[in-house]
Amino acid sequence: MAPYKYAPLNEDTEIRLLTLLPDWFEAPIHISLEINVLSDGEVPEFEALSYVWGDASDLLDIFLETSPSKRPELRETDDIDSIEWRTLRVTKNLFEALKHLRLEDRPRVLWIDAICVDQQNLEERGHQVLRMPNIYTSAKGVIVWLGPESDDTAIAMNAIQDLGSRITVDWDLQTMAPASESDFDPDSEKSYGAVEPSPQVWRSIHNLLGRAWFERLWIIQEVCLAGKNTHVVCGSVKISYEHFGNGICYLLNWKDVDNSQVEGLWDMVEQLLVLSNKTTFSDLDWVLAQTRQSQCSDQRDRIYAILSLVPEQERLEIHPDYTISVAEVFQSVVLQQARCRSQLNVLRFCSMDNRIMDLPTWVPDWSVSSSIESFRILRADAATKAYPCSESEGVLAATGIWITVVDDIKKHFTDNIPHTRYASAKGIGELISAVVGGEISDRRVDKLRSLCRTLCAAEFREMSTPANPDFPFLEESLKYIMDCDDWLRQNSTKPPRPHSSYMAHVNGFSSGRVLVTSADGRLGLAPRATKPGDKICVILGCSSPLVLRSDDNGFSHKVVGECYLDGIMTGEALLGELPKEWTMLQKYYPEYLANYWLFLDSTTGQTHVDDPRLGPLPAGWRYKSHKEEDAWNWFVNDGTGEDTVFDPRLEPDMLKARGVELHEFRLI
């Protein structure tokens, strides 16, 4: 029997839909494949499948009708032998999905990427990837296929269904509420009337969540864009995705983590559920960072699989193109961000530690899974505009300021500091000894304050509004550092009680990094590959300082990675220190679903969008009124007509007038 050959599509309006012909469970699989118009005015009725392809070397044959339009009368009959068939090879996991989804009494119309898209036609693949958001939002239902059931599948699915039906979840705010008054237990807000799962149920849930579907990158788009009629299917067991997600959210309040493997599993599933249930995403950088641990077989999909999740202006005019290399796709993200958004925040995700592809060091290697936590509470560049240019192949020229050089590596963080009383105090004590030593002076307290801020990248509850309950308080954290210092110097037998929130932040931000001192006496957290003599710079348009390494002739630089350098994280390198009565904080606006930086005047209690270090606007410029002006400024020049969200007081000429010495860094 000959293999099937695809007919071409009108890429703007057409898709293929397969009809899964009815039969009993163990019968050979027969399908038909037809071209359909999918447009605003014409939406066929079909379901879409979200699944894992599986092992590409483990293939099975299904049978495809060659001319279904010529034999419509046979669609719902058993006269299979009179039809001309072609073979189509599919992975074993898809074969199992088709067996389980097939109905005995009627056909079922589906969209499945491996069959409905000619995977050998690279141009068609690119066009159909662009259409996938429309396909999943137009489907009457989406089926999440986890695979065939095992001995404990029903136990896990039934438990999740029961728990998930008891609550509702706000995924943007990550909060839960009882589905009804009868589900609320005033004595145990977390239980909502449910009984904690037994060890057997826990094991079955862990087994279920360990399936490959939860690691796949494409599922975030597929489920996020799907409507309410989305179901999770494992073998013959089926529950709604809404209840499935609610149930896992419920269980996250109970999870008893006893080893790193299980902890990683829960963290991955929690992140997947938050991503796939969010209604909007702020920017491409954020989604790329959040999906670094998800899996995809084609690394170009690191970018293409998430484009539809971000606003149109964040897609950087990137279009799926499978005829270009992975390296070209990754490089285009950096260059397009610079061109379309005048920003270079994407440089924050570069890491000399974590690379396998042959790329310029200013291009992140998204093909490598990374668990290194990016710094969040920072604006070292004072929200400046980027001024990059691509000089030649593999070279990016960027404007910035050189701050200092790395003087010494004080600590290589290899393992997390345990949260036990003695181990936490011992770990912090070793850091104090490395940084402060036996120095007895007023500077000791200043150094301890700097160490306190550096170890958790200054991510304190006082820096955000509304206050993030996961962040530690500054004064409580500082007290713990001071108590550890006293314990160390007094050689006491009773160490201070560990500060759990602070230590969680310390472990999160120190993992994969080193503690450094700079030539000007500052403390910092830098990439593990950092060496003494490396430069620390702030690139305009990049919110994190970067560690750069000069090449042999000193003319070009390699990007080692982002760093935290105490004392320059809120724009001090460009604008000087904030006046003492002012504090910079990050405010979350639920109506905009985004965080923005504001400045708090402690003398009045009022917050302002304008940085108090900036003077009046230059001649010809004014503020433009808009509906979000309580969060960010918009500027217009009445003389030239220029319209921008970048502050004209931060243009290079204005910065130079303030005494800022700007340089052009040639990144390779």
Side-chain angles (χ1 to χ4, degrees), residues 303-355:
I303 310 302
Y304 299 157
I306 62 175
L307 284 177
S308 65
L309 300 177
V310 297
E312 184 72 37
Q313 66 273 18
E314 289 291 333
R315 298 176 193 173
L316 309 178
E317 300 179 12
I318 295 173
H319 304 287
D321 183 354
Y322 291 93
T323 65
I324 63 176
S325 70
V326 177
E328 289 175 296
V329 174
F330 288 1
Q331 187 166 315
S332 71
V333 174
V334 181
L335 296 177
Q336 287 295 92
Q337 184 183 85
R339 187 176 72 82
C340 298
R341 294 176 53 203
S342 299
Q343 287 186 358
L344 283 173
N345 273 325
V346 70
L347 296 179
R348 296 172 52 207
F349 305 108
C350 297
S351 174
M352 195 175 283
D353 295 317
N354 219 17
R355 308 179 75 81

Side-chain angles (χ1 to χ4, degrees), residues 307-604:
L307 284 177
S308 65
L309 300 177
V310 297
E312 184 72 37
Q313 66 273 18
E314 289 291 333
R315 298 176 193 173
L316 309 178
E317 300 179 12
I318 295 173
H319 304 287
D321 183 354
Y322 291 93
T323 65
I324 63 176
S325 70
V326 177
E328 289 175 296
V329 174
F330 288 1
Q331 187 166 315
S332 71
V333 174
V334 181
L335 296 177
Q336 287 295 92
Q337 184 183 85
R339 187 176 72 82
C340 298
R341 294 176 53 203
S342 299
Q343 287 186 358
L344 283 173
N345 273 325
V346 70
L347 296 179
R348 296 172 52 207
F349 305 108
C350 297
S351 174
M352 195 175 283
D353 295 317
N354 219 17
R355 308 179 75 81
I356 58 174
M357 291 184 61
D358 184 17
L359 294 165
T361 63
W362 49 269
V363 179
D365 188 351
W366 283 293
S367 69
V368 179
S369 175
S370 175
S371 58
I372 295 176
E373 203 160 334
S374 292
F375 303 123
R376 295 180 287 260
I377 302 292
L378 44 81
R379 197 165 81 163
D381 70 327
T384 48
K385 179 181 179 180
Y387 295 89
C389 65
S390 182
E391 292 183 348
S392 60
E393 186 68 27
V395 178
L396 180 73
T399 302
I401 179 172
W402 171 66
I403 308 296
T404 185
V405 298
V406 175
D407 180 59
D408 193 15
I409 308 295
K410 293 295 185 181
K411 170 73 174 178
H412 284 81
F413 294 98
T414 53
D415 300 309
N416 284 345
I417 300 173
H419 283 212
T420 60
R421 190 167 189 159
Y422 176 79
S424 288
K426 181 176 181 290
I428 294 296
E430 290 173 352
L431 294 171
I432 293 173
S433 296
V435 171
V436 184
E439 181 179 339
I440 305 295
S441 68
D442 292 340
R443 281 182 50 78
R444 184 181 185 89
V445 174
D446 291 337
K447 287 186 176 182
L448 291 174
R449 286 181 177 274
S450 178
L451 179 64
C452 178
R453 292 190 297 265
T454 301
L455 290 177
C456 73
E459 194 168 275
F460 297 109
R461 202 173 300 191
E462 294 89 341
M463 292 284 287
S464 63
T465 179
N468 190 322
D470 294 331
F471 290 5
F473 284 108
L474 171 59
E475 291 307 317
E476 290 180 0
S477 304
L478 182 59
K479 182 179 185 304
Y480 180 62
I481 293 288
M482 297 294 189
D483 288 346
C484 287
D485 184 46
D486 290 341
W487 172 73
L488 181 70
R489 289 193 291 162
Q490 296 169 10
N491 199 23
S492 170
T493 58
K494 187 177 181 180
R497 189 180 301 277
H499 189 300
S500 59
S501 176
Y502 179 69
M503 291 307 300
H505 271 62
V506 171
N507 283 330
F509 286 117
S510 64
S511 177
R513 293 191 168 102
V514 293
L515 182 67
V516 302
T517 53
S518 65
D520 60 352
R522 300 180 188 275
L523 278 176
L525 286 174
R528 189 173 290 166
T530 302
K531 298 178 180 179
D534 286 345
K535 295 179 180 179
I536 298 179
C537 308
V538 171
I539 301 296
L540 300 189
C542 180
S543 59
S544 288
L546 298 176
V547 177
L548 302 181
R549 182 170 300 158
S550 299
D551 65 0
D552 293 338
N553 59 22
F555 182 60
S556 302
H557 295 84
K558 294 181 179 180
V559 179
V560 181
E562 74 165 343
C563 73
Y564 172 93
L565 188 65
D566 196 46
I568 71 158
M569 303 306 290
T570 53
E572 290 89 343
L574 298 172
L575 302 177
E577 293 188 4
L578 277 167
K580 289 185 178 180
E581 65 273 15
W582 288 85
T583 304
M584 191 165 142
L585 53 82
Q586 197 175 66
K587 181 175 180 179
Y588 178 71
Y589 288 81
E591 63 271 36
Y592 312 142
L593 295 172
N595 290 295
Y596 291 99
W597 283 106
L598 297 177
F599 297 88
L600 173 65
D601 184 349
S602 61
T603 61
T604 65

Side-chain angles (χ1 to χ4, degrees), residues 113-395:
D113 60 350
I115 297 175
C116 296
V117 179
D118 182 357
Q119 298 296 326
Q120 304 306 311
N121 184 330
L122 298 183
E123 185 176 353
E124 179 179 305
R125 275 177 64 189
H127 283 294
Q128 289 293 289
V129 164
L130 271 178
R131 301 215 67 194
M132 280 178 65
N134 191 20
I135 290 169
Y136 277 89
T137 54
S138 299
K140 72 172 185 178
V142 172
I143 304 158
V144 172
W145 170 251
L146 299 184
E149 59 191 293
S150 59
D151 293 341
D152 58 2
T153 297
I155 296 173
M157 294 280 278
N158 291 336
I160 294 170
Q161 164 71 28
D162 175 62
L163 296 171
S165 64
R166 296 175 182 271
I167 62 168
T168 59
V169 178
D170 185 321
W171 291 98
D172 285 317
L173 299 178
Q174 296 185 45
T175 57
M176 296 188 305
S180 64
E181 290 186 10
S182 62
D183 288 319
F184 180 67
D185 180 355
D187 296 324
S188 178
E189 187 175 332
K190 285 186 179 179
S191 73
Y192 296 115
V195 177
E196 182 171 1
S198 67
Q200 181 191 18
V201 172
W202 274 122
R203 283 194 299 272
S204 68
I205 292 170
H206 286 312
N207 291 339
L208 184 72
L209 299 185
R211 290 178 178 241
W213 183 86
F214 294 97
E215 298 179 356
R216 182 171 170 261
L217 178 59
W218 277 105
I219 64 174
I220 299 169
Q221 172 186 257
E222 293 164 359
V223 178
C224 188
L225 297 174
K228 287 287 186 181
N229 189 26
T230 301
H231 289 84
V232 179
V233 179
C234 191
S236 59
V237 186
K238 168 181 161 182
I239 65 174
S240 76
Y241 186 79
E242 180 180 11
H243 283 168
F244 186 87
N246 291 354
I248 300 302
C249 182
Y250 203 148
L251 288 163
L252 287 166
N253 286 273
W254 264 329
K255 67 183 174 89
D256 183 17
V257 176
D258 56 5
N259 63 66
S260 59
Q261 183 178 4
V262 174
E263 182 175 13
L265 172 66
W266 280 101
D267 290 345
M268 179 266 294
V269 172
E270 179 181 23
Q271 184 163 292
L272 161 67
L273 290 171
V274 171
L275 285 169
S276 62
N277 282 281
K278 279 182 73 71
T279 55
T280 187
F281 297 89
S282 55
D283 58 62
L284 185 63
D285 293 344
W286 186 86
V287 184
L288 281 168
Q290 297 301 310
T291 56
R292 284 293 288 269
Q293 303 212 49
S294 298
Q295 304 298 313
C296 57
S297 56
D298 188 325
Q299 292 302 323
R300 287 169 289 202
D301 290 334
R302 286 274 160 213
I303 310 302
Y304 299 157
I306 62 175
L307 284 177
S308 65
L309 300 177
V310 297
E312 184 72 37
Q313 66 273 18
E314 289 291 333
R315 298 176 193 173
L316 309 178
E317 300 179 12
I318 295 173
H319 304 287
D321 183 354
Y322 291 93
T323 65
I324 63 176
S325 70
V326 177
E328 289 175 296
V329 174
F330 288 1
Q331 187 166 315
S332 71
V333 174
V334 181
L335 296 177
Q336 287 295 92
Q337 184 183 85
R339 187 176 72 82
C340 298
R341 294 176 53 203
S342 299
Q343 287 186 358
L344 283 173
N345 273 325
V346 70
L347 296 179
R348 296 172 52 207
F349 305 108
C350 297
S351 174
M352 195 175 283
D353 295 317
N354 219 17
R355 308 179 75 81
I356 58 174
M357 291 184 61
D358 184 17
L359 294 165
T361 63
W362 49 269
V363 179
D365 188 351
W366 283 293
S367 69
V368 179
S369 175
S370 175
S371 58
I372 295 176
E373 203 160 334
S374 292
F375 303 123
R376 295 180 287 260
I377 302 292
L378 44 81
R379 197 165 81 163
D381 70 327
T384 48
K385 179 181 179 180
Y387 295 89
C389 65
S390 182
E391 292 183 348
S392 60
E393 186 68 27
V395 178

